């Protein structure tokens, strides 16, 4: 804020962008406090997920994301399923 005020006092777009970022950060911090420090709220309680996995309603796996193309490539590897049997 000081940098913008001192060196770019007339650059309205930069001040608006800074204000927008500051507001978004405040909202995120307030949401984090409401969620007891969790970045994302849980969709289902743990007990329901565990029961769903045991009954076969839900599947458990690991999400693997391509670090070079993270927005385009990802897959889920299910527990207990290996690549050796795939053909």
């Amino acid at each position: 804020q000081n940098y913008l005020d001192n060196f770019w006092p007339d650059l309205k777009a930069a001040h608006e962008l800074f204000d927008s970022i500051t507001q978004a950060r405040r909202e995120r911090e307030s949401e984090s406090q409401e969620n007891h420090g969790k970045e994302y709220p849980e969709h289902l309680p743990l007990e329901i997920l565990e029961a769903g996995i045991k009954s076969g309603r839900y599947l458990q796996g690991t999400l693997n994301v391509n670090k070079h193309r993270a927005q385009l490539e990802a897959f889920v590897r299910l527990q207990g399923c290996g690549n050796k049997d795939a053909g």
Side-chain angles (χ1 to χ4, degrees), residues 1-19:
Q1 179 71 43
N2 291 336
Y3 175 80
L4 290 174
D5 290 340
N6 291 328
F7 294 101
W8 301 99
D10 298 329
L11 191 57
K12 184 178 179 181
H15 286 272
E16 289 174 357
L17 178 60
F18 179 81
D19 292 340

Side-chain angles (χ1 to χ4, degrees), residues 1 7 34-35 48 51 54 60 66:
Q1 179 71 43
F7 294 101
E34 290 173 6
N35 294 326
I48 293 175
K54 287 180 183 178
Q60 184 174 3
N66 182 330

